[in-house]
Amino acid sequence: MLHLRIIAPTDEAEAVTDLLAEEAGVAHLAVLPGAARRPPGDLILCDVVRESADQVLRRLQELGVEARGGISADDVELTVSAAAEKAAREAPGHGEDAVVWDEIAAKTGEQTVLTGTYLVLIMVATMIAGVGVLLDQPILIVGAMVVGPEFGPLAALCVALLRRNRRIIVRSVHALVVGFLAAMAVTVLSTWALTAAGLVGRQMLLAERPLTDFIWRPDALSWVIGLLAGVAGMLSLTAKKSGSLVGVLISVTTVPAAANVAVAAAYGVWHEAAGSALQLVINLCAIVIAGLLTLGVQQLWWWNVARRTTGPVRASRRRHPVGG
C-alpha cells in the first residue's frame, strides 16, 4: 500500500477528492482545506493499494494536479484497517504483481547519473573480477558481480525505451559506456601494477582455468542466461524483491567479462579479449531485450485488467456512493 500526499489548488480539490472517492483501491481519504502553503491549496491524504496506485496517479496527472500542486507517495509498511482490507479485495489484481510506473521510472532514473560512487563501485568490482580471472577463483567473480552497480542503468534503459524517454536513454547508455570503459582502463593499470609487483603474471592467464574460462567463451547459453536474468531482474525490481535482484546480479557475466577484456588486453592476449568483449555485449543486449519484453508484457497485462474492471467498479461506486 502507498500513502499519497496531494496538494491540490482549491478550485481543483473537489474534483481530486471525487476522483479518489470513486476508486475502489483507495482508503483513509482525508481533506485538509487550505492546509498547504507552498504551493497554496488543499492537502489531501489517502492510502491506495499498489494494484490501483498506477491508475490513481495517472488520473491525477490527467487532472493536471502536478502542474499547480504536487503529488508524493511513500510505502506503508503496516496498515491495520478494515477499510484497507476492503480496498485490497475490491481492487483488481494482486499487489505483489502491480507495477507503479512513476515509481519505477523515478527509482531507475536516479541510477543513470554518472556519480563518483557509481564509478568507484564499477571500477572496484572489475578489479576484483580481474584478480578472480587470473586466480581462477569463482568466489571472487561472484563477489565482483554483487558489487557491480551496472544493473541500475540497464533497468533504467529498459524503462526509458518502453516510455520513449530519450533523455533517460542517453543518460543510461552514457553511464554504461563510460562506467565500463573507465573500469576496464583502471583494471588494465592494476593488472600491470600487480604484475610489476610479482603478484600475478601472464602465464596465469594462459594457464588452464576450468572454473572461469566460460567468461571469454560465449555460446548460445550466454543468450539464454542473459534473457532469463533480464526477466528476473525486471520482475524483482517492479515487485520490490531485493533478494531476487541479488540472485540476478550473480547470474550474468557483465563485470567479469569486462574484467577479462582488461586483463587479456593488459597481456596482449587479443583472442581472449575479443571473446570476453563478445560475452559482455551478449549479456548487456540480452538483459535489455528481456527486460523490455517483460515490462511490455506487464504493461499490457495491467492495461487489460484495468479495462475489464474499471467500468464495473466505477458503476458500483455510483450506485453505492462513499458515505451513503
Side-chain angles (χ1 to χ4, degrees):
M1 183 165 262
L2 294 178
H3 178 66
L4 299 185
R5 295 184 304 280
I6 304 161
I7 295 178
T10 303
D11 59 337
E12 296 181 3
E14 185 176 355
V16 172
T17 304
D18 290 343
L19 181 157
L20 296 171
E22 73 175 15
E23 286 289 343
V26 171
H28 313 140
L29 177 60
V31 181
L32 285 72
R37 293 291 180 268
R38 188 184 299 174
D42 295 356
L43 177 62
I44 303 172
L45 308 174
C46 69
D47 293 330
V48 56
V49 294
R50 290 190 65 85
E51 50 268 44
S52 295
D54 188 66
Q55 177 175 288
V56 168
L57 290 171
R58 185 173 64 251
R59 294 186 66 200
L60 287 171
Q61 291 174 64
E62 288 172 357
L63 288 177
V65 173
E66 78 283 2
R68 296 172 56 200
I71 307 168
S72 59
D74 294 311
D75 280 312
V76 178
E77 298 295 334
L78 174 65
T79 302
V80 182
S81 164
E85 293 177 1
K86 181 175 182 292
R89 287 195 305 269
E90 292 186 357
H94 194 282
E96 287 200 359
D97 296 330
V99 181
V100 184
W101 290 103
D102 287 321
E103 178 187 48
I104 298 301
K107 183 188 303 181
T108 56
E110 294 173 354
Q111 301 181 58
T112 63
V113 180
L114 195 63
T115 63
T117 299
Y118 171 81
L119 286 174
V120 170
L121 283 175
I122 198 168
M123 289 176 182
V124 168
T126 307
M127 286 189 286
I128 292 173
V131 176
V133 163
L134 292 171
L135 298 179
D136 196 31
Q137 286 293 331
I139 188 68
L140 295 178
I141 300 298
V142 171
M145 290 175 175
V146 175
V147 172
E150 76 281 3
F151 188 77
L154 283 171
L157 179 58
C158 295
V159 175
L161 286 170
L162 185 69
R163 296 172 66 116
R164 300 176 184 177
N165 188 327
R166 183 175 179 180
R167 182 175 65 88
I168 299 299
I169 291 173
V170 171
R171 281 172 48 180
S172 301
V173 172
H174 180 253
L176 288 168
V177 172
V178 174
F180 275 114
L181 288 178
M184 287 188 283
V186 169
T187 303
V188 168
L189 295 176
S190 67
T191 301
W192 286 341
L194 292 173
T195 303
L199 299 176
V200 297
R202 190 172 188 272
Q203 69 281 2
M204 298 173 69
L205 183 70
L206 299 176
E208 289 294 324
R209 292 178 284 128
L211 300 180
T212 58
D213 65 354
F214 68 92
I215 295 173
W216 64 276
R217 290 176 175 171
D219 54 23
L221 285 177
S222 299
W223 278 104
V224 173
I225 298 301
L227 291 170
L228 293 176
V231 173
M234 282 299 108
L235 288 177
S236 65
L237 184 66
T238 57
K240 307 188 74 171
K241 299 289 186 182
S242 58
S244 301
L245 186 57
V246 173
V248 172
L249 297 178
I250 62 176
S251 64
V252 289
T253 53
T254 47
V255 164
N260 211 120
V261 171
V263 173
Y267 290 132
V269 185
W270 299 112
H271 71 284
E272 189 165 327
S276 303
L278 180 59
Q279 178 77 274
L280 176 61
V281 171
I282 288 174
N283 277 279
L284 293 175
C285 291
I287 290 174
V288 171
I289 291 171
L292 186 58
L293 290 175
T294 302
L295 291 173
V297 170
Q298 287 181 297
Q299 185 179 57
L300 181 61
W301 169 265
W302 280 101
W303 180 81
N304 284 324
V305 169
R307 185 173 58 87
R308 291 197 308 268
T309 59
T310 298
V313 168
R314 290 181 183 168
S316 174
R317 281 300 179 102
R318 286 194 293 268
R319 290 194 298 268
H320 306 285
V322 176

